[in-house]
Amino acid sequence: MVAKYFFKAFSLVGETQERERVLVHFSNRYFYCNPDTIASQDGVHCLTCAMMLLNTDLHGHNIGKKMTCQEFIANLQGVDEGGDFSKDLLKALYNSIKNEKLEWAVDDEEKKKSSSEGTDEKANGTHPKTISRIGSTTNPFLDIPHDPNAAVYKSGFLARKIHADMDGKKTPRGKRGWKTFYAVLKGTVLYLQKDEYKPEKALSEEDLKNAVSVHHALASRATDYEKKPNVLKLKTADWRVLLFQAQSPEEMQGWINKINCVAAVFSAPPFPAAIGSQKKFSRPLLPATTTKLSQEEQLKSHESKLRQITTELAEHRSYPPDKKVKAKEVDEYKLKDHYLEFEKTRYEMYVRLLKEGGLELLSSSGGGGAAGLKKSHSSPSLNPDASPVTAKVKRNVSERKDHRPETPSIKQKVT
């Protein structure tokens, strides 16, 4: 498989635009050399990206059901110049990646950086960090950079409940329980550790596995969850949904403010929509890299995206599916509606926060008890041994609302 050799030979690091150009160049060259295999260079590009995402799904740390061969084939219907790729080709690619994950080339500078960090830590008597990127080796476009020198914006004890896995898939029952962590919002990553944060202590592999990137995320009060008080809901870029319980309403609001502010200030512009004629709706990829735009440019970018999403949502709702259409088409309509509504809410929040100050809000100590840009990470007002407050309420089923939108029956009217 040519793509495997390509991934091993070329390092896909650096700016999003740079990596995209490398992929486009590969797609053009492959199509030039193999004009009879795939219908167009756009088809090669789509299939290459699909392989990277499949590798992430099959070999990443995401919890839940892995993508099947049938799902992989269905996701690529209609992308090869309006036609379908050969099923034999897709089956061969799926089995190849399933049996042996893709290996990524490492940039020389990245090697030197990792080597020098390890040397410095050995000299200081600390344990060298073996992992420099969260979720590495599965997809370099979606890896979360682990920056040990990033600023700490807030820290404290939080209880976490995994509500939905990647793509909004319902989390299996045995993995939904509450667990208490010492949370540290450092850079664009929310680290969840078993012990209180210490700057000199290296993060364990388990800490990195539990870490959550807040790029392109949205935090809000979990108004539809009534079993516990002071619960906030975090929806991530890959549509995972996590619930966090804070010690007080002020702490909950502080976490919401800081997480949303970090996302608004540092989230890089999204990738362009997938190339090709797709019958099935799919969300665009949201890069984990930090934006290079100034605050003024970032605000303009968010405002432009908000206008685009608002227009698209209005157009989408002006053409609801007919009552006679297949259930699958109703599913697609509801999923896209859910996506556009969430994106509109997210960008409205980002625009408001940047207009209110952005970076200045992050460096302040306000925002509902939120910590500012400081290097002391303990919080004397919190008792690490205290369990989060619980409240007895009646059984509540509304917490299920934030999965993929429920599909109405064909007889129901979609508005």
Side-chain angles (χ1 to χ4, degrees), residues 314-330:
E315 291 176 351
H316 177 71
R317 288 179 173 173
S318 64
Y319 296 101
D322 189 84
K323 294 179 181 179
K324 298 180 181 179
V325 301
K326 295 179 180 179
K328 187 176 180 180
E329 292 183 40
V330 177

PDB file of all heavy atoms in Angstrom, residues 314-330:
ATOM      1  N   ALA A 314     -30.275  28.131   8.521  1.00  0.00           N
ATOM      2  CA  ALA A 314     -31.551  28.637   8.008  1.00  0.00           C
ATOM      3  C   ALA A 314     -31.922  27.949   6.695  1.00  0.00           C
ATOM      4  O   ALA A 314     -33.085  27.561   6.482  1.00  0.00           O
ATOM      5  CB  ALA A 314     -31.467  30.153   7.810  1.00  0.00           C
ATOM      6  N   GLU A 315     -30.946  27.789   5.801  1.00  0.00           N
ATOM      7  CA  GLU A 315     -31.202  27.113   4.530  1.00  0.00           C
ATOM      8  C   GLU A 315     -31.571  25.646   4.747  1.00  0.00           C
ATOM      9  O   GLU A 315     -32.467  25.110   4.082  1.00  0.00           O
ATOM     10  CB  GLU A 315     -29.964  27.205   3.635  1.00  0.00           C
ATOM     11  CG  GLU A 315     -29.668  28.620   3.137  1.00  0.00           C
ATOM     12  CD  GLU A 315     -28.387  28.698   2.331  1.00  0.00           C
ATOM     13  OE1 GLU A 315     -27.638  27.688   2.291  1.00  0.00           O
ATOM     14  OE2 GLU A 315     -28.111  29.762   1.750  1.00  0.00           O
ATOM     15  N   HIS A 316     -30.869  25.017   5.680  1.00  0.00           N
ATOM     16  CA  HIS A 316     -31.128  23.602   5.976  1.00  0.00           C
ATOM     17  C   HIS A 316     -32.561  23.402   6.464  1.00  0.00           C
ATOM     18  O   HIS A 316     -33.255  22.466   6.022  1.00  0.00           O
ATOM     19  CB  HIS A 316     -30.141  23.114   7.028  1.00  0.00           C
ATOM     20  CG  HIS A 316     -30.350  21.699   7.473  1.00  0.00           C
ATOM     21  ND1 HIS A 316     -30.078  20.609   6.676  1.00  0.00           N
ATOM     22  CD2 HIS A 316     -30.812  21.194   8.658  1.00  0.00           C
ATOM     23  CE1 HIS A 316     -30.356  19.502   7.332  1.00  0.00           C
ATOM     24  NE2 HIS A 316     -30.811  19.828   8.530  1.00  0.00           N
ATOM     25  N   ARG A 317     -33.017  24.274   7.347  1.00  0.00           N
ATOM     26  CA  ARG A 317     -34.348  24.126   7.921  1.00  0.00           C
ATOM     27  C   ARG A 317     -35.466  24.549   6.962  1.00  0.00           C
ATOM     28  O   ARG A 317     -36.634  24.231   7.205  1.00  0.00           O
ATOM     29  CB  ARG A 317     -34.438  24.924   9.225  1.00  0.00           C
ATOM     30  CG  ARG A 317     -33.629  24.268  10.337  1.00  0.00           C
ATOM     31  CD  ARG A 317     -33.667  25.038  11.630  1.00  0.00           C
ATOM     32  NE  ARG A 317     -33.010  24.276  12.696  1.00  0.00           N
ATOM     33  CZ  ARG A 317     -32.767  24.762  13.917  1.00  0.00           C
ATOM     34  NH1 ARG A 317     -33.118  26.007  14.218  1.00  0.00           N
ATOM     35  NH2 ARG A 317     -32.171  24.005  14.817  1.00  0.00           N
ATOM     36  N   SER A 318     -35.104  25.250   5.923  1.00  0.00           N
ATOM     37  CA  SER A 318     -36.122  25.657   4.948  1.00  0.00           C
ATOM     38  C   SER A 318     -36.479  24.522   3.988  1.00  0.00           C
ATOM     39  O   SER A 318     -37.439  24.628   3.229  1.00  0.00           O
ATOM     40  CB  SER A 318     -35.643  26.879   4.165  1.00  0.00           C
ATOM     41  OG  SER A 318     -34.496  26.565   3.387  1.00  0.00           O
ATOM     42  N   TYR A 319     -35.682  23.438   4.027  1.00  0.00           N
ATOM     43  CA  TYR A 319     -35.947  22.287   3.162  1.00  0.00           C
ATOM     44  C   TYR A 319     -35.987  20.991   3.978  1.00  0.00           C
ATOM     45  O   TYR A 319     -35.112  20.127   3.845  1.00  0.00           O
ATOM     46  CB  TYR A 319     -34.874  22.176   2.072  1.00  0.00           C
ATOM     47  CG  TYR A 319     -34.867  23.342   1.114  1.00  0.00           C
ATOM     48  CD1 TYR A 319     -33.925  24.359   1.262  1.00  0.00           C
ATOM     49  CD2 TYR A 319     -35.797  23.431   0.076  1.00  0.00           C
ATOM     50  CE1 TYR A 319     -33.914  25.449   0.389  1.00  0.00           C
ATOM     51  CE2 TYR A 319     -35.788  24.503  -0.801  1.00  0.00           C
ATOM     52  CZ  TYR A 319     -34.851  25.516  -0.640  1.00  0.00           C
ATOM     53  OH  TYR A 319     -34.841  26.587  -1.503  1.00  0.00           O
ATOM     54  N   PRO A 320     -37.002  20.838   4.841  1.00  0.00           N
ATOM     55  CA  PRO A 320     -37.095  19.595   5.624  1.00  0.00           C
ATOM     56  C   PRO A 320     -37.417  18.424   4.708  1.00  0.00           C
ATOM     57  O   PRO A 320     -37.993  18.596   3.625  1.00  0.00           O
ATOM     58  CB  PRO A 320     -38.259  19.877   6.589  1.00  0.00           C
ATOM     59  CG  PRO A 320     -39.084  20.906   5.891  1.00  0.00           C
ATOM     60  CD  PRO A 320     -38.119  21.752   5.119  1.00  0.00           C
ATOM     61  N   PRO A 321     -37.037  17.218   5.115  1.00  0.00           N
ATOM     62  CA  PRO A 321     -37.303  16.041   4.267  1.00  0.00           C
ATOM     63  C   PRO A 321     -38.790  15.761   4.135  1.00  0.00           C
ATOM     64  O   PRO A 321     -39.568  16.024   5.054  1.00  0.00           O
ATOM     65  CB  PRO A 321     -36.569  14.913   5.000  1.00  0.00           C
ATOM     66  CG  PRO A 321     -36.484  15.372   6.414  1.00  0.00           C
ATOM     67  CD  PRO A 321     -36.340  16.858   6.360  1.00  0.00           C
ATOM     68  N   ASP A 322     -39.163  15.245   3.019  1.00  0.00           N
ATOM     69  CA  ASP A 322     -40.555  14.881   2.774  1.00  0.00           C
ATOM     70  C   ASP A 322     -40.956  13.698   3.655  1.00  0.00           C
ATOM     71  O   ASP A 322     -40.117  12.889   4.051  1.00  0.00           O
ATOM     72  CB  ASP A 322     -40.734  14.517   1.292  1.00  0.00           C
ATOM     73  CG  ASP A 322     -42.196  14.334   0.932  1.00  0.00           C
ATOM     74  OD1 ASP A 322     -42.859  15.353   0.659  1.00  0.00           O
ATOM     75  OD2 ASP A 322     -42.656  13.182   0.939  1.00  0.00           O
ATOM     76  N   LYS A 323     -42.224  13.582   3.939  1.00  0.00           N
ATOM     77  CA  LYS A 323     -42.708  12.497   4.792  1.00  0.00           C
ATOM     78  C   LYS A 323     -42.444  11.113   4.193  1.00  0.00           C
ATOM     79  O   LYS A 323     -42.341  10.125   4.903  1.00  0.00           O
ATOM     80  CB  LYS A 323     -44.222  12.640   5.017  1.00  0.00           C
ATOM     81  CG  LYS A 323     -44.611  13.875   5.819  1.00  0.00           C
ATOM     82  CD  LYS A 323     -46.129  13.938   5.979  1.00  0.00           C
ATOM     83  CE  LYS A 323     -46.540  15.182   6.745  1.00  0.00           C
ATOM     84  NZ  LYS A 323     -48.022  15.274   6.878  1.00  0.00           N
ATOM     85  N   LYS A 324     -42.320  11.066   2.871  1.00  0.00           N
ATOM     86  CA  LYS A 324     -42.184   9.780   2.195  1.00  0.00           C
ATOM     87  C   LYS A 324     -40.730   9.313   2.068  1.00  0.00           C
ATOM     88  O   LYS A 324     -40.482   8.221   1.559  1.00  0.00           O
ATOM     89  CB  LYS A 324     -42.817   9.865   0.810  1.00  0.00           C
ATOM     90  CG  LYS A 324     -44.316  10.151   0.839  1.00  0.00           C
ATOM     91  CD  LYS A 324     -44.882  10.229  -0.580  1.00  0.00           C
ATOM     92  CE  LYS A 324     -46.371  10.540  -0.550  1.00  0.00           C
ATOM     93  NZ  LYS A 324     -46.931  10.636  -1.923  1.00  0.00           N
ATOM     94  N   VAL A 325     -39.767  10.128   2.496  1.00  0.00           N
ATOM     95  CA  VAL A 325     -38.363   9.752   2.303  1.00  0.00           C
ATOM     96  C   VAL A 325     -37.982   8.608   3.236  1.00  0.00           C
ATOM     97  O   VAL A 325     -38.668   8.319   4.221  1.00  0.00           O
ATOM     98  CB  VAL A 325     -37.417  10.952   2.557  1.00  0.00           C
ATOM     99  CG1 VAL A 325     -37.750  12.093   1.635  1.00  0.00           C
ATOM    100  CG2 VAL A 325     -37.455  11.380   4.011  1.00  0.00           C
ATOM    101  N   LYS A 326     -36.865   7.982   2.924  1.00  0.00           N
ATOM    102  CA  LYS A 326     -36.381   6.867   3.731  1.00  0.00           C
ATOM    103  C   LYS A 326     -35.920   7.349   5.099  1.00  0.00           C
ATOM    104  O   LYS A 326     -35.516   8.494   5.263  1.00  0.00           O
ATOM    105  CB  LYS A 326     -35.228   6.173   3.014  1.00  0.00           C
ATOM    106  CG  LYS A 326     -35.630   5.512   1.705  1.00  0.00           C
ATOM    107  CD  LYS A 326     -34.427   4.863   1.036  1.00  0.00           C
ATOM    108  CE  LYS A 326     -34.811   4.198  -0.283  1.00  0.00           C
ATOM    109  NZ  LYS A 326     -33.628   3.593  -0.950  1.00  0.00           N
ATOM    110  N   ALA A 327     -35.969   6.446   6.065  1.00  0.00           N
ATOM    111  CA  ALA A 327     -35.570   6.781   7.439  1.00  0.00           C
ATOM    112  C   ALA A 327     -34.113   7.239   7.493  1.00  0.00           C
ATOM    113  O   ALA A 327     -33.750   8.104   8.294  1.00  0.00           O
ATOM    114  CB  ALA A 327     -35.780   5.581   8.354  1.00  0.00           C
ATOM    115  N   LYS A 328     -33.273   6.668   6.612  1.00  0.00           N
ATOM    116  CA  LYS A 328     -31.855   7.038   6.598  1.00  0.00           C
ATOM    117  C   LYS A 328     -31.673   8.507   6.252  1.00  0.00           C
ATOM    118  O   LYS A 328     -30.822   9.197   6.817  1.00  0.00           O
ATOM    119  CB  LYS A 328     -31.115   6.152   5.589  1.00  0.00           C
ATOM    120  CG  LYS A 328     -29.600   6.324   5.618  1.00  0.00           C
ATOM    121  CD  LYS A 328     -28.926   5.351   4.667  1.00  0.00           C
ATOM    122  CE  LYS A 328     -27.409   5.529   4.715  1.00  0.00           C
ATOM    123  NZ  LYS A 328     -26.715   4.596   3.789  1.00  0.00           N
ATOM    124  N   GLU A 329     -32.487   9.027   5.324  1.00  0.00           N
ATOM    125  CA  GLU A 329     -32.399  10.426   4.940  1.00  0.00           C
ATOM    126  C   GLU A 329     -32.871  11.332   6.066  1.00  0.00           C
ATOM    127  O   GLU A 329     -32.358  12.436   6.247  1.00  0.00           O
ATOM    128  CB  GLU A 329     -33.213  10.674   3.668  1.00  0.00           C
ATOM    129  CG  GLU A 329     -32.615  10.009   2.432  1.00  0.00           C
ATOM    130  CD  GLU A 329     -33.404  10.333   1.179  1.00  0.00           C
ATOM    131  OE1 GLU A 329     -33.836  11.495   1.027  1.00  0.00           O
ATOM    132  OE2 GLU A 329     -33.593   9.423   0.354  1.00  0.00           O
ATOM    133  N   VAL A 330     -33.857  10.887   6.816  1.00  0.00           N
ATOM    134  CA  VAL A 330     -34.320  11.646   7.987  1.00  0.00           C
ATOM    135  C   VAL A 330     -33.207  11.695   9.028  1.00  0.00           C
ATOM    136  O   VAL A 330     -32.965  12.723   9.659  1.00  0.00           O
ATOM    137  CB  VAL A 330     -35.598  11.030   8.587  1.00  0.00           C
ATOM    138  CG1 VAL A 330     -36.026  11.776   9.856  1.00  0.00           C
ATOM    139  CG2 VAL A 330     -36.730  11.042   7.570  1.00  0.00           C
TER     140      VAL A 330
END
